[in-house]
Amino acid sequence: MTAVEQTEARPRGTRLPRRARRNQLLGAAQEVFVAQGYHAAAMDDIAERAGVSKPVLYQHFPGKLDLYLALLDQHCEALVESVRAALASTVDNKQRVAATMDAYFRYVENEGGAFRLVFESDLTNEPAVRDRVDKVSLDCAQAVSAVISEDTDLPEDEAMLLAVGLCGMAQITARYWLGDGQRIPRDAAAKLISSLSWRGIAGFPMHG
């Protein structure tokens, strides 16, 4: 049974531990926000999708923005952790690039469309949202920059600029790939972009 089916099948009023209820509400909110966008989504819709009353929803999240930010925090953290895990998965830099590109492709492919909340939000004029979206991109780039700085003679500012370029390419190409209908298998698409990235970054000399 899928998460959506579990949500729809749960009878209204079923008592759950607080953490389980919170996760259930976040799952329902993700479905509604991804499908409708922030502005069109209503707390009524989210409560109905979760099979709870609005008072129960408000016990956990005082308002729609609080709920959206909690969801955004969850998925921003997931991407940063995926990138850090990719970088830590090997000491071979070519493989590090491949693993990092694959992390982005896996992230956008993840069922539920959570990446849309991070990279395609209709609420980026809200400072709290804009800060989180900017921070996730910065955190990923800083993780990549640290490896570049460690392994090359480049100044930190130059390493950071290269890292922003690599992460930006990964994010944009992964989103394009998904929007284009995944006509290239994910592994092949990620490998293609990692090959392009490696041909560029490998041109910078390693520490002597």
Side-chain angles (χ1 to χ4, degrees):
M1 182 179 290
T2 67
V4 174
E5 289 170 337
Q6 289 175 338
T7 298
E8 292 175 347
R10 187 177 299 284
R12 184 179 292 274
T14 301
R15 295 186 65 84
L16 291 174
R18 184 171 181 82
R19 181 179 294 276
R21 177 67 78 193
R22 177 182 171 87
N23 289 338
Q24 179 206 11
L25 296 174
L26 287 171
Q30 179 177 324
E31 294 170 15
V32 174
F33 284 134
V34 169
Q36 301 181 21
Y38 178 84
H39 294 293
M43 293 293 269
D44 284 328
D45 299 330
I46 296 168
E48 182 177 351
R49 182 65 61 90
V52 301
S53 64
K54 276 180 67 177
V56 169
L57 180 56
Y58 281 113
Q59 285 174 9
H60 292 264
F61 302 99
K64 186 167 72 165
L65 181 58
D66 300 281
L67 179 52
Y68 190 85
L69 292 177
L71 200 55
L72 194 58
D73 284 339
Q74 182 183 79
H75 293 298
C76 285
E77 181 180 355
L79 176 58
V80 174
E81 288 305 312
S82 292
V83 169
R84 287 174 176 163
L87 293 169
S89 65
T90 177
V91 295
D92 182 298
N93 284 330
K94 184 176 182 180
Q95 293 304 314
R96 274 176 168 158
V97 170
T100 301
M101 295 299 149
D102 189 57
Y104 277 90
F105 277 79
R106 287 179 181 275
Y107 183 74
V108 303
E109 188 189 39
N110 188 46
E111 185 178 357
F115 80 95
R116 298 189 187 281
L117 303 177
V118 180
F119 295 125
E120 299 176 5
S121 174
D122 61 345
L123 195 62
T124 51
N125 61 332
E126 165 61 45
V129 173
R130 182 75 259 163
D131 286 348
R132 284 163 168 81
V133 172
D134 289 345
K135 187 175 186 299
V136 68
S137 296
L138 182 63
D139 286 350
C140 289
Q142 285 176 334
V144 174
S145 176
V147 175
I148 296 174
S149 292
E150 182 180 335
D151 290 346
T152 71
D153 292 316
L154 291 172
E156 289 185 7
D157 287 348
E158 293 183 14
M160 185 62 182
L161 188 61
L162 288 172
V164 169
L166 289 170
C167 291
M169 179 166 60
Q171 182 225 125
I172 292 171
T173 54
R175 288 167 55 200
Y176 171 82
W177 165 79
L178 187 70
D180 196 42
Q182 301 170 270
R183 292 189 292 174
I184 303 172
R186 191 200 69 233
D187 288 349
K191 184 177 180 180
L192 191 65
I193 299 305
S194 68
S195 178
L196 173 63
S197 303
W198 176 246
R199 286 175 184 271
I201 199 67
F204 294 93
M206 300 284 287
H207 284 308

